[in-house]
């Protein structure tokens, strides 16, 4: 059954020369992609995934150089001149990028950007090119294709922009499509739709595909075979099932095990972490790239390292793959329910009483938070989940006082804090802290960690003595696994994970009662995310603080939370304990969200609910249920005209929905995750 | 039509600025020390004659009345009478000077804008290479030279040594500028020296930014030829910041060339302003300064409109469709 491979990469090496050193970006990469095959490439940032795709396109920075062979249908791309390469780019090999918005030229119409592709490669006239563009857009299920070609990129939504980018790649019916994190910037429900679409088009156009992502779940969904990359090397390749069921390379195991997924919750397991971080590779280095962080290393790691066949179609580079002293290959997954620790006293730390937050002026008013009622118990973690623009961050900011509520009351430990942080007492400020998404931007780059962490201590705890503060700072740094030597470092000298630890340390330095965490791990790599999540769990157990944990990632929310709140367009859809919301969801939106999350385990498949369209314009006044326009279980006119009532499912679980109880029970028994 | 709305609101703001500025100019000249009548008659004048002149010049009327008279005169096209050259209507000398200045500015503009944009684009596309270094060095060097230094350099080389162009830009009596177009060359070159550095450096850096953008990468990886990518995909976006810089300097170019005009003895608005200030010719100062203000405001308006026109994000709002 040996057929000719569409792409065959043989011992590809890429290195960058800087003034002082040579950095190895890819080392001896050999991969192949068969006809109609989808190869998924997984790895953390800095592991050379994108470099590989740009090397295939022969688009490396000026200081980059490559050796080896990239055979595309037998022709070596590396030997081609730039002019000859132009005939392949966009024509035989096409690429889709992570950020659709910035990949489209803002000052040219979408039609123009689509037409030029076939005009150049096929010599079409503009009319013919437009026809082809519109046909392709229709293939991508874009309703108003004729209207869209006249628009500019900023006039359409993110999901549509990515479809345009995919259409652009498909115009010449390429043999190979390279997708570099195409859904990373999109919402989970949009991602689900785009992934389905990619699969459908792959069949339709008989394409081969390279799909690059850091998200194992996504890669599983679209690929046949998977390659794991670490520090510029392919460490393991195999069928997706083999990779997940029987991972061999310690890095593959470590990576798979640090990702939260369904059934992995803080009550049962601690996430796996990988000590250290991805470092740059110098030209002299040889042997296993993972050796510095590997817990099972020995003398063979250097000498006997190299790709070998482990099983049919399953290759791994680690020579110790068959060793018995490696720990459990798979993270334990316990589907059982979580025991209720009913002994704790139920005292509220936070109450939101009909809170609204509007932006803008009359006529163009954005209802970011549109009437939220909520209580949060002491010593608990409330996970707030929803897609971008649902108001979850704004709600967090009304609590922290960055955007005081337009209407409504916020009670914190019984004190009314419905005002801006400027008007709050030092005691409230001390007890209510926050962590932002991007530590690189939220920590002042010109301050040392001592200044960053010491400042709230001085301002809010009134510790004037520098010695005393330093002692406390060192204590807290140790708690977040940063050594004493970090005290004099500045944020720039830290890695992403260390920066977020420093941000956690800053927030915890004054022992707050409530911590608002706004997507604290979204910008981090899987292994780093795992260590920050573990840290947050430990600190919470130890300090008894409560978290309001805001995230778009349901797996993370599921891992960390006690209660979960699902938001849509500034309102609550569903609220309940983790078991209730994830185990027996009652709201159609929760159902759709849960179904859209790609599973890390490729053996588990579930039907994804495709939501229609995009969330409505937030400036428009909504009379009925905000979700009615996209709901797959809409029951009729009532959804558009009457706000949904609060339906109590249990003492701790409620939804806002018009669905009759028996239909909700159907959702619950289908079970999302 | 959001573009139309923007156009009208900017137009309104422009008018408002001109009105406010005219009042401010009037007020400033008003509070300058020294009595106008006294200045006209000289220090030796008697008190009675000064008082009499004040009466005939209606200087004793309240401030607002005088401002109203002054402003309404302007609206009707009457710029008043020069104080220094008694009996001379400002209109009779002013507009000719303005015309000269416009011609100088225009010739400088035609000279330096394409030159600096072209070289800026070239430097940006070849960032880090030899041609970039040469262009960037030229830009820095000419930017560092003040116009009176570069002007003298130009005069020494082209007029004194090579004897190619006239030494000064004076128009012989009885002739017009059109008969002496060669006098424009050296002042225009000297302006180009000043502006080239700014504009080409701005163009270079915006070009580098755009060439590194995701959409240019996407265009290249779509298989488009490099030249096409530069001119169709990159240039339009890279021009936006440059247009702002050129527009911001338009006011200076059309009305503020005091140094250049004085150096070359060019009979333009700048040297007229200079003379007016030296002779304390208040009505003439007012006319010059107000006109320069209007040019500044107007060129800002034009820049703004051009910017919005070239930028579809401003031209088409999401709600429009």
């Amino acid at each position: 059954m040996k057929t000719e491979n569409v792409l065959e990469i043989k011992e590809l090496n890429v290195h960058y020369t800087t003034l002082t050193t040579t950095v190895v970006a890819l080392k001896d990469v050999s991969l192949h992609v068969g006809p109609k095959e989808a190869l998924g490439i997984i790895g953390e940032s800095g592991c050379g995934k994108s470099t590989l795709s740009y090397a295939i396109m022969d688009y490396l920075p000026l200081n980059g150089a490559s050796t080896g062979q990239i055979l595309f249908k037998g022709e070596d791309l590396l030997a081609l001149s730039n002019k000859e390469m132009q005939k392949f780019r966009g024509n035989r090999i096409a690429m889709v990028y992570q950020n659709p918005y910035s990949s489209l030229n803002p000052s040219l119409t979408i039609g123009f950007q689509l037409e030029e592709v076939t005009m150049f490669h096929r010599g079409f006239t503009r009319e013919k090119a437009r026809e082809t563009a519109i046909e392709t857009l229709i293939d991508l299920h874009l309703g108003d294709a004729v209207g869209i070609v006249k628009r500019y990129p900023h006039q359409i939504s993110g999901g549509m922009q990515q479809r345009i980018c995919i259409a652009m790649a498909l115009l010449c019916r390429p043999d190979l499509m390279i997708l570099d994190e195409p859904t990373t910037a999109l919402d989970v429900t949009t991602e689900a739709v785009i992934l389905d679409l990619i699969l459908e088009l792959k069949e339709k156009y008989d394409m081969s595909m390279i799909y690059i992502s850091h998200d194992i779940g996504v890669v599983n969904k679209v690929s046949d075979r998977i390659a794991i990359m670490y520090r510029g090397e392919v460490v393991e390749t195999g069928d997706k099932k083999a990779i997940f069921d029987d991972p061999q390379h310690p890095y593959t195991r470590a990576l798979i095990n640090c990702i939260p997924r369904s059934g992995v919750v803080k009550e049962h397991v601690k996430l796996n972490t990988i000590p250290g971080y991805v470092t740059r590779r110098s030209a002299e280095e040889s042997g296993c790239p993972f050796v510095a962080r590997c817990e099972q290393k020995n003398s063979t790691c250097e000498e006997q390292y190299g790709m070998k066949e482990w099983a049919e179609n399953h290759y791994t580079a680690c020579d110790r793959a068959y060793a018995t002293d490696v720990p459990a290959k798979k993270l334990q997954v316990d589907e059982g329910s979580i025991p209720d620790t009913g002994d704790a006293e139920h005292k509220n730390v936070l109450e939101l009483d009909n809170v609204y937050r509007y932006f803008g002026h009359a006529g163009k008013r954005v209802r970011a938070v549109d009437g939220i009622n909520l209580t949060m118990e002491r010593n608990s973690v409330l996970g707030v989940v929803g897609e971008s623009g649902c108001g979850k961050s704004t709600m967090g900011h009304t609590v922290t006082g960055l955007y005081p509520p337009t209407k409504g009351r916020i009670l914190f430990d019984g004190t009314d804090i419905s005002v801006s942080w400027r008007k709050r007492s030092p005691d409230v400020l001390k007890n209510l802290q926050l962590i932002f998404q991007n530590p690189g931007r939220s920590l002042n780059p010109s301050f040392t960690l001592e200044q960053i962490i010491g400042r709230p201590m001085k301002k809010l705890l009134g510790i004037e003595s520098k010695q005393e503060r330093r002692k406390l700072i060192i204590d807290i740094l140790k708690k977040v696994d940063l050594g004493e030597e970090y005290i004099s470092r500045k944020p720039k000298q830290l890695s992403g994970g260390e920066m977020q630890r420093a941000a956690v340390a800053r927030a915890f330095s004054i022992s707050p009662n409530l911590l608002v965490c706004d997507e604290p791990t979204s910008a981090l790599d899987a292994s780093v995310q795992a260590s920050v999540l573990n840290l947050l769990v430990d600190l919470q157990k130890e300090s008894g603080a409560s978290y309001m944990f805001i995230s778009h990632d349901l797996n993370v929310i599921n891992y960390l939370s006690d209660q979960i709140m699902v938001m849509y367009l500034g309102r609550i859809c569903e609220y309940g304990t983790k078991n209730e919301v994830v185990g027996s969801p009652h709201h159609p939106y929760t159902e759709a969200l849960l179904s859209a999350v790609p599973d890390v385990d490729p053996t588990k498949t579930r039907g994804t609910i495709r939501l229609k369209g995009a969330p409505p314009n937030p400036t428009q006044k909504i009379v009925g249920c905000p979700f009615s326009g996209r709901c797959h279980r809409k029951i009729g006119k009532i959804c558009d005209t009457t706000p949904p009532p609060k339906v109590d499912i249990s003492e701790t679980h409620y939804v806002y929905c018009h669905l009759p109880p028996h239909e909700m029970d159907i959702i619950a028994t289908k079970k999302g995750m | 039509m959001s573009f139309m709305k923007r156009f009208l609101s900017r137009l309104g703001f422009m008018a408002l600025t001109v009105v406010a500025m005219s009042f401010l100019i009037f007020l400033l000249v008003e509070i300058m020390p020294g009595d106008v009548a006294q200045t006209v008659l000289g220090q030796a004048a008697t008190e009675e004659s000064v008082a009499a002149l004040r009466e005939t010049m209606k200087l004793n009327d309240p401030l607002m009345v005088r401002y109203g008279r002054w402003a309404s005169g302007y609206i009707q096209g009457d710029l008043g009478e020069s104080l220094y050259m008694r009996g001379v209507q400002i209109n009779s000398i002013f507009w000719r000077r303005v015309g000269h200045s416009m011609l100088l500015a225009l010739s400088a503009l035609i000279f330096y804008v394409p030159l600096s944009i072209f070289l800026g684009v070239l430097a940006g596309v070849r960032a880090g290479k030899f041609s970039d270094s040469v262009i960037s060095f030229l830009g820095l060097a000419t930017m560092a030279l003040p116009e009176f230094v570069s002007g003298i350099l130009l005069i020494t080389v082209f007029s004194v040594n090579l004897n190619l162009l006239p030494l000064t830009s004076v128009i012989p009596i009885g002739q017009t500028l059109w008969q002496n177009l060669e006098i424009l060359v050296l002042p225009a070159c000297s302006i180009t020296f000043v502006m080239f550095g700014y504009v080409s450096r701005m163009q270079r850096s915006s070009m580098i930014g755009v060439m590194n953008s995701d959409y240019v990468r996407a265009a290249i990886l779509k298989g488009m030829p490099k030249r096409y990518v530069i001119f169709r995909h990159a240039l339009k976006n890279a021009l936006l910041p440059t247009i702002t810089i050129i527009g911001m300097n338009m006011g200076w170019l059309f009305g503020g060339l005091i140094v250049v005009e004085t150096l070359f003895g060019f009979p333009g608005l700048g040297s007229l302003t200079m003379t007016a200030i030296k002779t304390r010719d208040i009505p003439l100062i007012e006319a010059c300064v107000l006109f320069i203000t209007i040019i500044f405001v107007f060129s800002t308006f034009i820049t703004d409109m051009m910017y919005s026109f070239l930028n579809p994000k401003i031209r088409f709002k999401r709600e429009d469709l």
Side-chain angles (χ1 to χ4, degrees), chain A residues 54 59 86 89-90 97 101-103 105-107 112-113 116-117 120-121 152 154-155 157 168 364, chain B residues 214-215 217-218 220-226 228 232-233 236-237 312-313 315-319 321:
Chain A
Y54 290 122
Y59 185 75
Q86 266 171 26
R89 292 175 181 158
Y97 315 88
Y101 179 60
S102 65
S103 302
N105 193 325
S107 64
F112 182 94
Q113 298 185 55
E116 59 180 10
V117 178
F120 266 96
H121 291 303
Y152 285 90
H154 69 276
Q155 294 173 300
S157 70
M168 209 177 275
K364 273 198 176 170
Chain B
D214 288 357
Y215 57 83
R217 181 187 65 192
I220 292 173
L221 295 187
K222 271 194 313 195
M224 304 292 118
K226 183 140 190 202
Y228 176 86
R232 285 320 292 262
H233 281 262
K236 199 174 168 194
N237 296 295
K313 276 190 219 171
R315 213 165 7 135
F316 304 104
K317 288 269 160 58
R318 272 189 88 146
E319 294 93 60
L321 287 154

Side-chain angles (χ1 to χ4, degrees), chain A residues 195-498:
Chain A
L195 289 179
D196 283 351
L197 186 70
I198 289 172
L199 281 176
E200 183 191 318
L201 293 166
K202 185 186 149 237
E203 286 307 309
K204 190 164 178 176
Y205 292 155
D206 286 342
M207 278 187 303
S208 304
M209 217 165 73
I210 294 181
Y211 194 101
I212 295 170
S213 179
H214 68 284
D215 188 331
I216 297 181
V218 170
V219 170
N220 270 332
K221 200 162 170 182
V222 290
S223 355
D224 308 312
R225 226 153 34 81
I226 288 179
I228 313 277
M229 285 189 77
Y230 184 71
R231 289 180 77 210
E233 278 189 49
V234 175
V235 296
E236 188 162 358
T237 62
D239 292 337
K240 62 179 168 188
K241 209 167 161 301
I243 294 283
F244 185 81
D245 277 343
D246 192 22
Q248 293 307 319
H249 198 284
Y251 177 67
T252 316
R253 288 183 193 175
L255 188 66
I256 290 176
N257 286 345
C258 59
I259 299 163
R261 56 176 168 274
S262 92
V264 176
V265 288
K266 66 176 175 185
E267 288 82 353
H268 294 313
V269 279
K270 212 172 158 131
L271 291 172
N272 181 47
T273 58
I274 310 174
Y277 48 90
V278 182
T279 51
R280 280 196 178 158
R281 186 166 194 158
S282 69
E284 295 81 41
E285 213 182 301
S286 63
C288 177
F290 189 57
V291 73
R293 298 170 76 184
C294 187
E295 279 163 357
Q296 285 94 44
K297 58 176 169 252
N298 68 11
S299 58
T300 60
C301 293
E302 172 106 7
E303 300 138 28
Q304 293 172 28
Y305 190 77
M307 238 0 166
K308 352 194 140 31
E309 189 163 9
W310 165 252
E312 202 196 340
N313 262 339
H314 188 175
Y315 296 82
T316 176
C318 184
D319 207 42
R320 294 175 37 71
Y322 45 82
T324 47
D325 56 342
V326 283
K329 289 173 182 173
K330 278 172 80 173
L331 197 59
Q332 297 164 254
V333 173
D334 197 327
E335 302 282 356
S337 63
I338 299 140
D340 191 14
T341 47
D343 50 302
E345 47 173 334
H346 292 286
K347 221 179 138 197
N348 292 335
V349 63
L350 185 74
E351 273 174 66
L352 268 67
D353 182 13
N354 223 6
V355 168
Y356 292 82
R357 172 69 207 196
Y358 295 159
F359 293 103
H361 46 82
K364 273 198 176 170
R365 178 160 290 155
V366 174
R367 296 169 168 79
V369 174
D370 203 10
I372 296 274
N373 287 298
L374 170 77
T375 53
M376 246 185 92
E377 274 169 26
R378 205 174 266 286
N379 200 1
S380 70
V381 178
L382 171 70
V384 181
V385 70
E387 293 176 282
S388 55
C390 73
K392 54 190 193 302
S393 282
T394 309
M395 188 187 71
H397 289 327
T398 58
V399 172
T400 55
L402 286 173
Y403 303 135
T406 312
K407 257 193 302 190
R409 231 156 51 106
I410 305 175
L411 290 177
F412 176 63
D413 266 341
T415 338
D416 190 331
I417 57 157
S418 350
V419 288
S420 156
W421 61 272
R422 285 189 193 81
K423 295 180 193 155
R424 291 181 182 179
S425 71
D427 189 48
V428 170
L429 292 178
K430 173 205 158 291
N431 280 314
L432 211 170
Q433 285 293 313
L434 73 163
I435 302 174
F436 292 99
Q437 172 168 3
N438 196 328
R441 277 189 243 163
S442 57
L443 299 178
N444 190 330
S446 57
F447 280 8
T448 62
L449 289 194
E450 178 169 18
Q451 286 166 306
I452 290 169
I453 301 171
R455 196 176 150 79
M457 287 184 174
K458 189 177 168 192
K459 291 271 167 189
L460 298 172
L461 289 185
I463 306 172
E464 292 294 337
S465 146
K466 205 172 171 181
Q467 272 69 41
E468 204 180 322
R469 280 209 304 269
R470 177 164 290 178
K471 215 175 129 266
L472 290 169
I473 293 167
I474 290 172
D475 280 351
I476 189 82
L477 280 178
K478 279 185 182 149
K479 263 190 210 164
V480 298
D481 292 331
L482 294 176
E484 204 178 321
E485 69 275 13
Y486 281 82
I487 195 163
S488 56
R489 297 211 184 149
K490 291 184 177 175
K492 256 191 202 149
Q493 295 165 286
L494 309 179
S495 70
E498 286 171 340

